[in-house]
Amino acid sequence: MQWALNKKGSLALAALWSLLTLSLSGWWMMLGMNQNRPGVEQTAEMAARQYRMFFWEGSFLLFFVAIGGGFLFYSIYRDQKRHEEVRRFFSTFTHELKTSLTSLRLQAEILEEDPRNRENENLRRLLRDVVRLELQLENALFLAQAESGKLFLEEIPLQKTVQALSVHWPQLKVQVEADARIRADQRALECILKNLFQNACVHGKATKVSVSARREGGRLGIRVTDNGSGFSGERLDQLGQAFVRHSTRSGSGIGLYLSRILASRMKGRLEFAQAGDRGFMATLELEGRTL
């Protein structure tokens, strides 16, 4: 949506620039031609010569202004078309990689179910890395479609969704303290929860995550609280902003940034806070009802 607004805004500014410059040039041309009348110290021949001068110079000025406006429109169109081609290629490429990683994760999970591999730390590390890469690719795919992709809002059971996602983080003990039905897009909600779980596991080094839901000011507040190390940066209010690194060990911040975008597109919001002396808490406010 934002890209569409930028596209319309660029075309509107180009049209306004062309209209203003052509109007001013035409006004200057007509003013000079109308004021050039024979006077006491000016013969008819001199007046005719200056009239032709204003006419041809004004015509050339209007011509070059029109050419410049046309080139500006063409440049905007070419840039927008290239942007759309890159976005389409990026989405297709990311989707293909995600399909391959999903297949790799399923095969690794099958191997892990073998009793002989239950204590294989290398296999566990492989599964964690695959889940992390899969989430990063999913974030990239969502980010490429964040401005144009459509969301389908429906009632989603919170507890069932959290339990289905928690299997990807076996090192986390995920508890749902209060169930609810949330009005959200299924993929968008899962993406937000995945990023919160991944953030708790990787950056917070948490071992436990608690998910609860309660009514807050006429809306449903879903709180995701972990027992990790909490936020280690300087400014908590910058968390969730694009490409802001809060410390040398922090990531790119794309996950939480994307989560905030998706929450906003679902007519909600996502806020972050410290959970006491230790731990981190994210509150997702959406339409819904508790059970």
Side-chain angles (χ1 to χ4, degrees):
M1 183 178 295
Q2 184 178 2
W3 177 81
L5 292 176
N6 291 338
K7 176 182 177 181
K8 293 180 180 178
S10 300
L11 292 175
L13 287 176
L16 180 62
W17 177 87
S18 300
L19 180 62
L20 287 176
T21 51
L22 285 173
S23 299
L24 288 174
S25 301
W27 175 83
W28 172 84
M29 176 182 172
M30 297 303 298
L31 180 64
M33 293 170 63
N34 290 332
Q35 288 184 350
N36 188 40
R37 298 291 186 230
V40 178
E41 299 178 356
Q42 188 179 35
T43 64
E45 183 179 354
M46 293 176 59
R49 187 183 302 115
Q50 291 184 4
Y51 182 89
R52 289 194 297 269
M53 179 188 70
F54 276 112
F55 175 78
W56 288 110
E57 288 183 358
S59 298
F60 274 110
L61 179 60
L62 289 173
F63 173 75
F64 285 115
V65 168
I67 290 295
F71 181 75
L72 180 62
F73 275 103
Y74 172 74
S75 299
I76 293 175
Y77 169 77
R78 185 181 61 183
D79 289 343
Q80 291 175 349
K81 185 176 181 181
R82 179 172 178 79
H83 173 82
E84 183 63 22
E85 290 175 352
V86 171
R87 188 196 64 80
R88 208 162 34 235
F89 167 79
F90 187 66
S91 298
T92 304
F93 179 71
T94 306
H95 186 269
E96 291 177 355
L97 284 179
K98 186 174 181 297
T99 302
S100 301
L101 278 175
T102 301
S103 176
L104 179 62
R105 176 175 57 82
L106 291 175
Q107 295 181 39
E109 288 175 350
I110 292 175
L111 290 175
E112 189 185 33
E113 292 178 356
D114 192 329
R116 295 172 296 181
N117 297 325
R118 291 290 173 84
E119 304 300 325
N120 192 329
E121 183 60 30
N122 291 328
L123 185 58
R124 292 179 180 177
R125 189 180 297 111
L126 173 63
L127 276 171
R128 290 196 297 267
D129 290 342
V130 169
V131 169
R132 185 174 183 175
L133 282 174
E134 192 175 11
L135 179 59
Q136 289 175 346
L137 283 174
E138 187 174 352
N139 287 341
L141 185 62
F142 257 115
L143 201 60
Q145 301 173 347
E147 298 170 349
S148 58
K150 295 182 179 180
L151 299 181
F152 177 69
L153 301 183
E154 58 181 334
E155 281 200 349
I156 301 173
L158 176 62
Q159 184 171 8
K160 183 178 180 181
T161 302
V162 171
Q163 289 176 348
L165 296 178
S166 61
V167 298
H168 300 307
W169 289 271
Q171 67 273 31
L172 279 179
K173 183 180 180 181
V174 182
Q175 295 180 339
V176 181
E177 297 181 356
D179 196 9
R181 295 191 69 86
I182 311 167
R183 183 167 178 77
D185 179 86
Q186 181 75 41
R187 290 182 63 238
L189 179 62
E190 289 181 357
C191 182
I192 293 174
L193 293 174
K194 284 180 180 179
N195 279 293
L196 293 178
F197 292 164
Q198 181 73 5
N199 184 74
C201 181
V202 175
H203 301 294
K205 307 299 181 184
T207 59
K208 180 181 177 181
V209 172
S210 173
V211 181
S212 62
R214 65 178 184 179
R215 303 292 298 180
E216 294 183 354
R219 308 191 75 185
L220 188 67
I222 301 100
R223 289 188 175 181
V224 180
T225 309
D226 64 59
N227 65 342
S229 58
F231 179 68
S232 58
E234 297 180 357
R235 295 187 56 181
L236 185 63
D237 59 331
Q238 290 185 341
L239 197 61
Q241 295 184 7
F243 311 114
V244 176
R245 290 177 60 89
H246 305 280
S247 65
T248 56
R249 299 182 60 185
S250 62
S252 62
I254 291 297
L256 296 183
Y257 167 70
L258 176 62
S259 298
R260 273 193 161 171
I261 290 180
L262 293 175
S264 177
R265 290 198 60 197
M266 292 187 293
K267 305 184 185 308
R269 65 175 183 173
L270 180 63
E271 300 294 336
F272 308 110
Q274 292 280 56
D277 296 333
R278 289 181 58 85
F280 184 75
M281 179 175 65
T283 303
L284 175 63
E285 292 186 7
L286 291 171
E287 296 293 333
R289 55 187 175 88
T290 56
L291 298 180

